[in-house]
């Protein structure tokens, strides 16, 4: 990987950019704030995130990617251009860019991401699927004839894949991850307590009290602030681990079902490797308390959480240049009009 090359984890909730000699140089929310009348971007990343839920009618702050796909092409293009320019200051040599995408992304969705990168000044664009990037970033040697299962839980999608000999053997992607939990918490608090909180508050609540092994003995509480609908006034509310258990359990069950679906179609020899190596969790969603233990019990196989799990995809995307031409699947040159 040359110093001019950059890897981009273009996530639903965060954008991370990796440079070989510097590590993660960008780690900001994937939010754009823009003028509602003209559509002109006003702020990106952290600045825009601070405006979410706090803008007046003339300013809109939104995530241009939803559930792992590009929902607003124009804003995505502007956001990618902003972050590439922020992380790469040379005006002479344009960067070679590797971008990760969910394993089940459609051709149209992929083209939107590629066009955004090219229009942002990239001289060459390579696409890498998230499970491959996560495995590389976690430090696994994916070129060996040895099966590894990766479960990457991001903001918008959860990608599950079995990898061997530099390629994806079988995989599954579901549009159910961290953001889905946040949305369901907002709904539950409203229906159960007649109390409205924002998604950012729901995220803080999830990190503070959610537990995949929730019970009365380990239940803790967290104070949230929002609107009491009965009075129509600002108020505060104490919410416990047990209060949000009805949200956590069904989503974890979906993770378990998806993992079992992939394991069912995994070749026997690779299944043996996975039983020995364990299942590796990456992504911010891997930090959900006791998720590893819950999955381990459900699939009867050890489950490990990667070190710095939130950064694995970004690191792997940047380091993937070293394996260019060696990977059997999950990594390809998609630069329009250019050869490799």
């Amino acid at each position: 990987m040359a110093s001019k090359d950059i890897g981009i984890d273009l996530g639903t909730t965060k954008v991370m950019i990796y440079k070989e000699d510097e590590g993660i140089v960008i780690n900001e929310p994937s939010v754009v704030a823009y003028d509602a009348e003209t559509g002109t971007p006003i702020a990106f990343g952290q600045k825009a995130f601070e405006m979410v839920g706090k803008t007046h009618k003339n300013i809109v702050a939104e995530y241009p990617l939803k559930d792992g796909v590009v929902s607003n092409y124009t804003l995505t293009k502007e956001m990618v251009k902003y972050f590439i320019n922020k992380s790469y200051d040379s005006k002479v040599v344009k960067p070679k860019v590797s971008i990760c995408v969910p394993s089940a992304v459609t051709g149209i969705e992929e083209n939107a991401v590629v066009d955004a990168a090219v229009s942002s000044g990239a001289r060459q664009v390579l696409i890498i699927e998230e499970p491959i990037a996560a495995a590389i970033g976690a430090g696994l040697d994916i070129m060996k004839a040895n099966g590894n299962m990766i479960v990457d839980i991001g903001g918008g999608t959860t990608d599950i894949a079995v990898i061997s000999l530099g390629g994806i053997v079988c995989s599954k992607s579901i549009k159910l991850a961290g953001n889905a939990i946040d949305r369901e918490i907002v709904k539950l608090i409203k229906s159960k307590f007649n109390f409205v909180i924002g998604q950012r508050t729901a995220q803080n609540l999830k990190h503070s009290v959610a537990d995949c092994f929730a019970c009365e003995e380990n239940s803790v509480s967290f104070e949230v602030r929002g609107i009491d609908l009965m009075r129509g006034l600002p108020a505060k509310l104490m919410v416990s681990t047990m209060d949000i258990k009805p949200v956590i359990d069904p989503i974890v069950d979906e993770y378990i079902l998806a993992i079992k679906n992939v394991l069912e179609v995994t070749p026997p020899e690779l299944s043996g490797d996975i039983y020995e190596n364990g299942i590796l969790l990456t992504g911010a969603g891997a930090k959900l308390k006791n998720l590893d233990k819950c999955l381990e019990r459900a699939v009867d196989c050890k489950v490990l959480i990667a070190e710095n799990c939130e950064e694995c995809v970004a690191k792997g995307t940047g380091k993937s240049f070293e394996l260019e031409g060696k990977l059997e699947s999950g990594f390809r040159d998609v630069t329009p009009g250019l050869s490799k």
Side-chain angles (χ1 to χ4, degrees):
M1 178 181 180
S3 59
K4 56 182 173 294
D5 300 335
I6 59 176
I8 303 177
D9 175 9
L10 191 61
T12 302
T13 56
K14 279 194 172 185
V15 174
M16 293 191 192
I17 295 184
Y18 177 91
K19 296 174 75 175
E20 185 178 31
D21 297 331
E22 302 174 47
I24 303 291
V25 295
I26 299 287
N27 182 358
E28 296 191 35
S30 49
V31 184
V32 181
Y34 62 94
D35 187 300
E37 293 184 359
T38 65
T40 303
I42 297 170
F44 301 89
Q46 187 60 40
K47 278 190 175 182
F49 178 73
E50 291 168 1
M51 300 180 188
V52 174
K54 299 181 179 181
T55 61
H56 52 74
K57 65 178 182 179
N58 294 328
I59 296 178
V60 178
E62 70 174 59
Y63 292 85
L65 294 99
K66 288 181 171 55
D67 297 328
V69 300
V70 177
S71 61
N72 188 316
Y73 169 75
T74 302
L75 291 183
T76 299
K77 182 172 71 173
E78 292 299 321
M79 183 176 69
V80 171
K81 178 186 285 188
Y82 169 81
F83 284 121
I84 286 180
N85 290 337
K86 185 175 181 178
S87 63
Y88 189 81
D89 54 11
S90 174
K91 305 301 180 184
V92 180
V93 181
K94 295 184 181 298
K96 184 177 178 181
V97 176
S98 175
I99 305 179
C100 75
V101 296
S103 58
V105 71
T106 66
I108 294 174
E109 293 162 355
E110 182 181 287
N111 289 340
V113 173
V114 174
D115 289 345
V118 172
S119 64
S120 302
R123 81 174 194 277
Q124 187 178 11
V125 182
L126 299 107
I127 288 290
I128 182 168
E129 293 180 12
E130 283 191 8
I132 292 286
I136 296 171
L140 298 181
D141 185 352
I142 63 173
M143 302 307 296
K144 290 183 178 179
N146 188 26
N148 288 286
M149 174 174 268
I150 295 289
V151 179
D152 180 64
I153 307 173
T157 61
T158 295
D159 288 280
I160 303 156
V162 174
I163 301 169
S164 179
L165 287 170
I168 294 175
V169 179
C170 48
S171 67
K172 186 178 182 66
S173 181
I174 58 174
K175 293 183 178 180
L176 195 66
N179 288 355
I181 296 177
D182 300 340
R183 290 193 295 266
E184 291 303 313
I185 287 176
V186 171
K187 291 179 185 177
L188 181 142
I189 298 300
K190 183 177 180 179
S191 63
K192 184 174 183 177
F193 298 106
N194 285 314
F195 197 88
V196 176
I197 60 174
Q199 196 159 333
R200 287 173 59 184
T201 301
Q203 187 180 67
N204 292 334
L205 178 61
K206 175 183 67 180
H207 292 322
S208 301
V209 305
D211 191 331
C212 295
F213 278 157
C215 61
E216 291 293 348
E217 288 73 21
N218 65 12
S219 183
V220 295
S221 296
F222 181 75
E223 182 181 278
V224 298
R225 298 181 183 184
I227 299 174
D228 183 337
L229 291 178
M230 299 298 290
R231 298 184 298 147
L233 296 173
K236 60 184 179 181
L237 176 72
M238 295 300 294
V239 181
S240 73
T241 302
M242 294 304 292
D243 287 330
I244 64 171
K245 176 179 169 62
V247 166
I248 304 300
D249 289 352
I251 292 178
V252 172
D253 286 344
E254 289 295 323
Y255 293 162
I256 293 170
L257 178 61
I259 291 170
K260 286 183 175 179
N261 287 343
V262 175
L263 287 172
E264 285 172 0
V265 296
T266 300
E269 294 295 340
L270 295 181
S271 294
D273 292 339
I274 293 168
Y275 188 80
E276 182 177 345
N277 299 332
I279 297 170
L280 187 66
L281 302 184
T282 62
K287 296 188 290 186
L288 186 63
K289 188 175 180 180
N290 285 322
L291 176 61
D292 54 336
K293 296 181 178 63
C294 185
L295 297 180
E296 194 169 272
R297 175 182 291 182
V299 300
D300 193 26
C301 177
K302 65 181 177 183
V303 176
L304 311 169
I305 300 175
E307 186 178 355
N308 298 321
C309 57
E310 192 173 359
E311 299 179 354
C312 286
V313 171
K315 288 180 179 178
T317 303
K319 290 178 176 294
S320 63
F321 292 104
E322 300 169 8
L323 297 175
E324 188 177 356
K326 298 178 182 178
L327 293 173
E328 289 299 317
S329 65
F331 187 72
R332 56 199 180 280
D333 187 345
V334 291
T335 312
L338 293 179
S339 60
K340 291 184 180 180

